[in-house]
Amino acid sequence: MTSSELWTRATAERYDAEESELSSPAVLGPTLAFLAELAGDGRALEFAIGTGRVGVPLRERGVQVAGIELSEHMAAVLRRKADADSLPVTIGDMATTVVPGEFSLVYLVYNTITNLLTQDEQVACFRNAARHLAPGGRFVIELGVPPLRFLPPGQVAVPFDVSEEHLGFDTFDLVEQILVSHHFTRDGDGYRRANSRHRYAWPAELDLMARLAGLELERRVADWDGAPFTQDSAKHISVWRKPV
């Protein structure tokens, strides 16, 4: 069993439209270039592949991509874009599900490791990535830095999006490292409310998880373009390598 919350059919059907900005060439182009370079001539495995926002265009670039996805509804949306022969997807959780063969790249984008709500499961996710990697292969994670610097005493929420179509706020349990993202999305004349739970983790904690899985940090940058990671970076792209 996994602690990840299961995406529903309704959420899957509107996911691409609500996250359309992430599929723009300006955002997706550097992501695909970064991952394709690491994959090289080898195979790539995407944990929590979702509707295929990254996996499908990466496959179109010539990288052999496979995926693991917990939600059958999200995978069904992906299947409209790519058939099972060109992009196989295994239904299961990313902490324990095993896909046959070895990969030169395993990757997790858009904060998805936080869907695992316990430290044990996040550790298992790193071990599962290492299990799939060929010697010299890389595990890549895209993850936001917890915005706790914006949380002064007495404040319970941090806004992450305030726009005409969407209001987003995170609330925090600082003891359990759980944040809840609250979404208010314009729907006709009103707003549709939804929320999701996540376990946030610091870069140093992820590095320790990687070491437990036998992986070594190769580099950490602030974005897919390779900008330096600093104390002011809002997110990081981290690359761990499996020793030869």
Side-chain angles (χ1 to χ4, degrees):
M1 298 293 292
T2 177
S3 61
S4 295
E5 296 175 347
L6 193 61
W7 294 72
T8 65
R9 182 187 302 275
T11 301
E13 290 295 335
R14 59 176 177 257
Y15 182 83
D16 285 346
E18 292 186 348
E19 302 292 349
S20 59
E21 183 178 346
L22 294 176
S23 297
S24 67
V27 174
L28 200 52
T31 306
L32 299 176
F34 191 106
L35 295 174
E37 180 181 0
L38 289 181
D41 296 329
R43 302 167 68 208
L45 175 62
E46 181 172 353
F47 283 179
I49 194 169
T51 64
R53 177 184 68 89
V54 174
V56 171
L58 187 61
R59 180 67 186 89
E60 292 170 350
R61 284 199 173 207
V63 178
Q64 295 184 51
V65 179
I68 294 174
E69 173 54 44
L70 182 64
S71 169
E72 294 187 28
H73 302 302
M74 296 288 278
V77 175
L78 179 152
R79 195 51 69 219
R80 300 170 195 164
K81 309 171 186 177
D83 60 34
D85 290 332
S86 62
L87 204 167
V89 175
T90 302
I91 301 299
D93 74 90
M94 57 186 164
T96 61
T97 301
V98 177
V99 175
E102 285 188 327
F103 297 83
S104 61
L105 173 67
V106 178
Y107 65 94
L108 252 176
V109 297
Y110 198 32
N111 303 322
T112 313
I113 193 170
T114 66
N115 290 0
L116 298 170
L117 299 179
T118 70
Q119 186 183 69
D120 285 345
E121 286 183 327
Q122 291 180 353
V123 169
C125 181
F126 271 81
R127 287 176 171 154
N128 200 30
R131 179 184 298 123
H132 285 91
L133 286 174
R138 276 92 169 186
F139 182 35
V140 176
I141 284 182
E142 175 188 22
L143 183 59
V145 177
L148 301 189
R149 293 168 68 186
F150 298 101
L151 195 66
Q155 183 171 313
V156 297
V158 172
F160 60 86
D161 184 32
V162 180
S163 63
E164 289 293 325
E165 300 300 320
H166 177 256
L167 301 175
F169 303 88
D170 286 335
T171 55
F172 295 85
D173 180 336
L174 302 181
V175 174
E176 299 296 331
Q177 290 185 213
I178 296 292
L179 71 83
V180 180
S181 289
H182 305 265
H183 300 268
F184 299 83
T185 305
R186 189 178 292 279
D187 190 356
D189 295 329
Y191 281 86
R192 181 180 67 255
R193 180 175 182 174
N195 61 68
S196 58
R197 294 186 301 152
H198 306 268
R199 182 186 186 273
Y200 64 84
W202 300 95
E205 184 180 7
L206 298 181
D207 289 342
L208 182 55
M209 293 180 189
R211 289 178 61 188
L212 292 172
L215 304 176
E216 302 170 347
L217 180 67
E218 185 173 72
R219 61 173 158 150
R220 173 169 291 127
V221 292
D223 56 34
W224 295 107
D225 288 312
F229 178 75
T230 72
Q231 65 178 2
D232 297 319
S233 298
K235 73 172 185 179
H236 61 96
I237 314 297
S238 295
V239 181
W240 297 274
R241 185 172 180 268
K242 184 173 183 177
V244 176

